[in-house]
Amino acid sequence: MVRTRFAPSPTGFLHIGGVRTALFNWLYARACGGEFILRIDDTDEDRNLQEALGPILEGFCWLGIDWDEGPESASRPGPYFQSQRAELYQAAVEKLIANGAAYYDYASPEEIQAEREEARAAGRSFRYSRRWMAASEADGAKFQTQGRAGVVRLKMPHEGTFILKDLVRGEVEFDWAAEQDHVIQRANGTCLYHLATVVDDEDFKITHVIRAEEHLSNTPRQIFICDALGYERPEFAHLPYVAEPGSKSKLSKRKLKKYLKNPDFAQLYQKGETIVSRIGQTADVEFFNPVLVDFYRQIGFLPEALLNYLLLLGWSLDDETEIFSQQQMIDLFSLDRVNKAPASFDPAKLLAFQEKWMRQLETEQKVALTLPYLQKANLVEQPPSHADASRLSQLIEAAGDRIKVAGDVLEFTDFFLPDEAIVYDEKAFKKRICKAGAAELLGRFAERLATVSPFDAATCEGALKDFVSQQDIKIGEIIHALRVAVTGKSVGLGMFESLALLGQEATLRRIDRALQKYEAEQSKLG
C-alpha cells in the first residue's frame, strides 16, 4: 500500500509552500488508494511554538486534507511527535555506531571551524579530518576527562557515487566525496532531523517521500542511514519550490515587506488588514501574512479555491483546464505531471480563483460564510434574528460579485449599524447634501417615501422617478444626496436595493438625521 507523509515543524504557521507539498502527498495517497500520515517534526526545541500547533491542525482540517494516521487519530497510538520518540532514535544511533556507520566525535565548534578555514586557505573542499573521533571507549573517556562534549557523526564514504531515481527529476547523481560527516545526535542526547526522519519513515512504513526540492541535497545522507540500518528505501519525489511573485526566489514569510512592493500582493494584504480591523482586531505582523495559510482562513477564502490554486503551482493537466473539484484532483493527480521548474505565487490569480469558486455558491451558502464576520463585529446576534438573516440574504444578492471573500461583507456594515453609528463621509456630505437646494429636495422626497408600499427596490425606484418628473429636476440632483443620507457614503450598492435593505423606518430616520446635521451646520454658519 502506498503511504505518504507530511511532517510540519511547529516553528511557525502553515506556509503556502508547505501546504502545497502536503496537498501533493495527500493527493498521491488518495489517487493510489493509499494512506496519508501527518507527523510533527518537533526536534528543534528552541524554535518550537506551542501556539503554532493548533493552527497547523486547524488549517489542514479547514482545507479538507484529512490524515489516516497522526495527531488526534485513533487508528494507531503513535506517538506522532518526534519529541516523544527518543527511544527509537537512540536505538538507531547505537546500531549505527555498532556497525561502524557512525562515531562519537569530541571536536569543539572552534576546532571544526579552524579546519574549515585551513581548507579554504589551501583552496580545497572542506572535509573533517576525524581527528577527535573516538575509535574506542577508551578514546571517549580520554576526551571526556579533557572536558569535551561528544556528538555522534555519520561516517560517510569518501569515494564512489550514489544515483537517485527521483520520480520528478529523473536520475540525480551525487558524489560521496562531497558529503560531510553530518551530526545526527547532539551532545545533550537529542537527535537531529536527518536521523529522526529516516527512523520515522521506516517505523510508519512510508513508501513515497514526496517533499520540497530543498531537501534533495539531504537525500544521500538519509539513504546512507537507511541502508546502514537495513531499512527498505522509500521512493523519492522532489517538488519544485513555490517562488516569490514574479521571481525565481523561494517564497518566504520573512520577506513580507519586500512582497508588499508588488501591487497585487499589497492589495491582497490590505484587504486582509481591512477585514481584520473591521472585526475590531489588530493584524499580527508575524502571523498575519499572505504567505501563511491562516491568513486566507481568517479573511474568508474558500478552501476549495486555495487548494485549486495550489494544485496548479507545479502541476498541470493540460494547457486549458484550471478548475478542479477535490474529487477531480484525486482522480487526475499523478507525479509524472509535476513540473521541475519553480512555480511563481501570483496573488491576483489566486484571488481570481476565489472569485470563480465564490460565484458557484448559492445565496444560502454565502450567508452561512459571511454571517460569522458580522457576528464577530458585533453587528448581528448569535443566533441572528429573522430580520437580520433576511437582510443579509438580500445584501448578498444585491452585492453580487462585490463580495469576493466572506470578510468583504464588512464593507456593508452600514446596513446593520444603528442609525446613530453611521459615520458620514464629510467631503461627500458637504458636496451632496450641503449643495444648494439638495436638503429641501431630500426632505420632500422623504415625505414621498413615507407613503411607499410595498417598500421594495422596484417601488422605491418608481417613486423616485415620479418625484423627479414632478419636480422637473434631473435624478442626479437628489439620488447622490439620498445615498449619503442613508449610508454615509458616496458609493455603494444600488440605491434602491439599499433602501429596501434598510427598510422604510430606518430609511426615514436616517434622512431625518442627515437633515438635522445639515441644519446644525447651517446654523453654525449663521
Side-chain angles (χ1 to χ4, degrees), residues 1-46:
M1 178 182 289
V2 167
R3 285 170 64 86
T4 67
R5 50 80 168 169
F6 183 67
S9 172
T11 55
F13 286 29
L14 278 176
H15 184 279
I16 283 290
V19 172
R20 195 280 310 269
T21 298
L23 173 64
F24 282 20
N25 273 277
W26 182 80
L27 287 175
Y28 188 71
R30 294 289 176 260
C32 296
E35 295 176 336
F36 174 68
I37 291 83
L38 181 63
R39 198 175 70 216
I40 307 299
D41 283 5
D42 57 347
T43 54
D44 194 344
E45 295 180 3
D46 293 336

Side-chain angles (χ1 to χ4, degrees), residues 407-429:
D408 283 340
V409 72
L410 296 174
E411 291 182 17
F412 309 102
T413 55
D414 40 289
F415 296 106
F416 296 90
L417 288 170
D419 303 333
E420 63 275 10
I422 293 297
V423 177
Y424 295 102
D425 179 331
E426 291 298 335
K427 184 177 180 180
F429 191 92

Side-chain angles (χ1 to χ4, degrees), residues 169 213 239-241 313-314 338-343:
R169 302 184 174 279
E213 177 185 357
L239 309 175
Y241 59 81
L313 287 179
V338 175
N339 303 317
K340 296 180 183 179

Side-chain angles (χ1 to χ4, degrees), residues 159-178:
E159 56 186 30
T161 58
F162 161 62
I163 297 177
L164 173 70
K165 294 183 178 179
D166 192 277
L167 297 177
V168 171
R169 302 184 174 279
E171 289 193 354
V172 185
E173 185 173 313
F174 298 91
D175 186 353
W176 283 121

Side-chain angles (χ1 to χ4, degrees), residues 503-515:
Q504 194 167 34
E505 291 183 6
T507 296
L508 294 175
R509 287 197 305 268
R510 291 189 180 191
I511 293 175
D512 184 59
R513 180 170 177 260
L515 292 176

